[in-house]
């Protein structure tokens, strides 16, 4: 199946049901009107001279116009290239040049940046997101399952942009996984306050594929988020870890009627356990835990009901659930499948897995081997099929021939009462190869010295795991998704004391 066929089917099944609600003005598009607008834009893009496989970049916020371009381009046999608005002009230009993008659709708030990019990227045409291209009843093209649908960039490096190739087949297979996992139904309402590049758009599309309604509410504002959950009687939402932290700091969830809310989906691997337990106390056991990567989105899922039992909750928040229906997971250690309960690299196989990396055949051959995607994540699969992520293979610190996981150093540091957060990384050392360094954020009003924290770690860690360098910082460098940016941590640690 392709994206156009999926939206056409939605329009046939639920023509008059609300599909998209714009929380800014209350505007509503039902499934028939939404699909027709998507297809109208697709036809307009083809009439504008674009053809099969041409790349169309999108730079915008969480609005209906963004989705019209996103789905419109794919339904017309074009390839969407979502840009992260937070990246610098250098980083965005590098991605546009690498993708060989012919067109950039941009929101009005990014008009200046778009003009700057057009001056730097040869042949790039600009179009406003807010465009009325009319309506059509059918898509402009019928791309095959193996046709490219999207190029999703996984990093902002200007030197070596890396784009994941998502086909129509892998995208619709991922949607099937999500629909089965989330348990949303026709009439259910999802509130979205996440940026739509590139992961949130697939969760939104899965909600539509289930016949549900999506409320698009712009940029995240904690109090307004809770007000809208209550106003629209939302049954589900999706958050990144930074949103969760702000909700706990800035709001009182008990002051809002969230009786309809069944699921708040999060990627919990990046959430400290104490924060997660505090969130459950504030919102109740409503959190669905997902595991996926750009190359294999939504591979595992743990539904909210697993968190209902306080006796097993502490263990459950460290797990990411079982593989979804169309996904296989295996753990590999030293080239062999590891027995249950043994740590190793997480490998994923399934129709939802990406086709490879754009114009990087050697990297593709090394990561996608024998039908399996090698994630680079370390994990443990227990005897009941539940997966726990323990770290990143590339983040393992190797000191004196021994391996150290940053997570175990971070746990030791965070057990000190003065420490709010910590991030460990390996630093080059001529004698040991690497030594352990750590960036530390202290709790408000608390005090501790580097020497005190090193001594504290010595009590629970082997000597070679103890951090030798500690730097205090106002915050840990993290991505939008809450993942620690180890390269920036290393740079921070390398600064003179």
């Amino acid at each position: 199946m392709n994206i156009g066929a999926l939206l056409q089917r939605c329009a046939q099944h639920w023509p008059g049901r609300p599909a998209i609600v714009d929380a800014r003005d209350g505007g509503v598009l039902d499934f028939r009107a939404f699909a027709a607008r998507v297809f109208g834009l697709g036809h307009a893009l083809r009439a504008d001279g674009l053809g099969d496989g041409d790349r169309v970049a999108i730079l915008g916020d969480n609005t209906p116009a963004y989705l019209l371009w996103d789905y419109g381009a794919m339904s017309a046999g074009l390839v969407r290239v979502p840009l992260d608005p937070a990246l610098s002009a250098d980083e965005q230009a590098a991605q546009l040049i690498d993708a060989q993008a012919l067109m950039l659709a941009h929101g009005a708030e990014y008009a200046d940046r778009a003009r700057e990019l057009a001056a730097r990227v040869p042949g790039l045409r600009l179009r406003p997101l807010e465009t009325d291209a009319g309506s059509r009843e059918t898509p402009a093209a019928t791309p095959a399952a193996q046709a490219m649908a999207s190029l999703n960039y996984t990093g902002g490096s200007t030197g070596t942009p890396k784009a994941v190739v998502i086909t129509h087949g892998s995208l619709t297979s991922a949607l099937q996984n999500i629909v089965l996992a989330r348990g949303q139904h026709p009439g259910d309402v999802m509130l979205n306050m996440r940026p739509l590049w590139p992961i949130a758009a697939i969760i939104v599309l899965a909600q539509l594929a289930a016949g549900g309604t999506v409320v698009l509410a712009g940029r995240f504002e904690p109090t307004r988020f809770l007000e809208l959950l209550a106003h629209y009687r939302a049954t589900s939402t999706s958050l990144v870890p930074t949103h969760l932290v702000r909700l706990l700091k800035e709001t009182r969830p008990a002051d809002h009627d969230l009786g309809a809310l069944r699921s708040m989906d999060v990627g919990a691997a990046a959430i400290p356990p104490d924060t997660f337990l505090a969130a459950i106390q504030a919102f109740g056991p409503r959190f669905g835990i997902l595991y996926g990567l750009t190359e294999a989105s939504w591979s595992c899922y743990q539904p909210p009901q697993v968190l209902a039992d306080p006796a097993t909750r502490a263990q459950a928040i460290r797990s990411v659930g079982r593989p979804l229906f169309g996904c296989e997971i295996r753990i590999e250690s030293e080239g062999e499948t590891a027995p249950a309960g043994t740590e190793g690299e997480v490998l994923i196989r399934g129709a939802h897995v990406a086709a490879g990396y754009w114009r990087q055949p050697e990297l593709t051959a090394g990561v996608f081997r024998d039908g399996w995607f090698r994630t680079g994540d370390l994990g443990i699969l227990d005897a009941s099929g539940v997966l726990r992520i323990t770290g990143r293979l590339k983040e393992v610190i190797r000191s004196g021939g021994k391996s150290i996981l940053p997570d175990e150093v971070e746990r030791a540091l965070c057990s000190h009462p003065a420490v709010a957060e910590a991030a460990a990384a390996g630093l080059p050392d001529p004698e040991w190869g690497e030594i352990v360094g750590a960036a530390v954020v202290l709790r408000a009003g608390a005090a501790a010295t580097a020497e005190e924290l090193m001594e504290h770690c010595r009590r629970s860690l082997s000597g070679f795991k103890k951090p030798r360098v500690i730097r205090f910082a106002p915050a840990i460098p993290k991505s939008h998704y809450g993942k620690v940016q180890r390269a920036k941590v290393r740079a921070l640690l390398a600064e003179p004391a």
Side-chain angles (χ1 to χ4, degrees), residues 45-72:
L45 291 173
R46 301 287 293 211
D48 206 7
L50 298 177
D52 290 346
D54 285 344
R55 272 74 67 197
V56 176
I58 308 173
L59 179 62
D61 288 330
N62 175 28
T63 65
Y66 188 107
L67 289 185
L68 291 175
W69 275 87
D70 192 299
Y71 305 158

Side-chain angles (χ1 to χ4, degrees), residues 427-435:
L427 299 175
D429 183 83
E431 180 179 358
W432 298 96
E434 285 185 312
I435 58 173

Side-chain angles (χ1 to χ4, degrees), residues 223-467:
T223 299
R224 184 165 177 262
F225 173 77
L226 295 179
E227 292 171 348
L228 292 175
L229 283 176
H231 176 75
Y232 286 103
R233 304 291 295 165
T235 57
S236 70
T237 189
S238 174
L239 298 170
V240 296
T242 51
H243 294 164
L244 202 54
V245 171
R246 289 189 63 190
L247 285 167
L248 293 175
K249 286 183 176 179
E250 301 176 29
T251 69
R252 285 174 47 86
D255 294 343
H256 301 267
D257 178 9
L258 305 180
L261 186 63
R262 300 198 303 265
S263 178
M264 305 171 74
D265 294 325
V266 294
I271 303 176
D274 288 349
T275 300
F276 206 166
L277 290 172
I280 294 171
Q281 185 173 0
F283 287 95
R286 290 185 166 106
F287 292 93
I289 302 175
L290 64 97
Y291 170 65
L293 304 93
T294 305
E295 296 90 340
S297 65
W298 280 73
S299 294
C300 293
Y301 186 71
Q302 181 170 272
Q305 55 265 33
V306 176
L307 300 175
D309 185 356
T312 59
R313 187 174 292 162
Q315 179 180 349
I317 63 171
R318 296 180 182 275
S319 302
V320 295
R322 293 185 172 89
L324 295 176
F325 178 79
C327 175
E328 293 179 71
I329 299 277
R330 75 180 179 96
I331 306 297
E332 184 178 285
S333 178
E334 298 181 355
E336 301 290 338
T337 299
T342 303
E343 185 181 65
E345 184 178 8
V346 179
L347 275 60
I348 299 176
R349 181 165 67 181
H352 69 301
V353 173
Y357 297 108
W358 170 247
R359 303 199 306 168
Q360 297 197 47
E362 291 184 2
L363 178 61
T364 297
V367 176
F368 297 85
R369 296 210 306 261
D370 302 322
W372 292 90
F373 164 54
R374 311 183 70 85
T375 66
D377 285 337
L378 291 171
I380 296 172
L381 198 62
D382 70 18
S384 67
V386 173
L387 178 65
R388 179 162 62 92
I389 302 301
T390 57
R392 284 286 294 171
L393 196 61
K394 292 181 180 178
E395 292 173 358
V396 172
I397 302 164
R398 304 197 183 278
S399 183
K402 297 180 179 180
S403 297
I404 306 161
L405 289 175
D407 179 63
E408 56 187 335
V409 179
E410 292 159 4
R411 286 201 305 270
L413 285 165
C414 289
S415 68
H416 190 285
V419 175
E421 205 170 1
L427 299 175
D429 183 83
E431 180 179 358
W432 298 96
E434 285 185 312
I435 58 173
V436 178
V440 171
V441 178
L442 296 177
R443 296 186 185 277
T449 65
E451 291 74 18
E452 179 184 346
L453 294 180
M454 290 177 191
E455 178 60 23
H456 174 78
C457 288
R458 189 184 63 80
R459 299 171 194 155
S460 58
L461 295 175
S462 302
F464 70 92
K465 296 181 180 180
K466 185 182 74 172

Side-chain angles (χ1 to χ4, degrees), residues 2 42-43 45-56 72-80 99-102 125 139-151 168 358:
N2 58 59
H43 279 275
L45 291 173
R46 301 287 293 211
D48 206 7
L50 298 177
D52 290 346
D54 285 344
R55 272 74 67 197
V56 176
M74 291 190 289
S75 73
L78 311 175
V79 178
R80 51 87 101 155
Q100 300 171 326
L102 298 179
R125 291 184 280 165
T142 56
Q146 65 269 26
M148 274 202 305
S150 181
L151 289 179
H168 282 268
W358 170 247

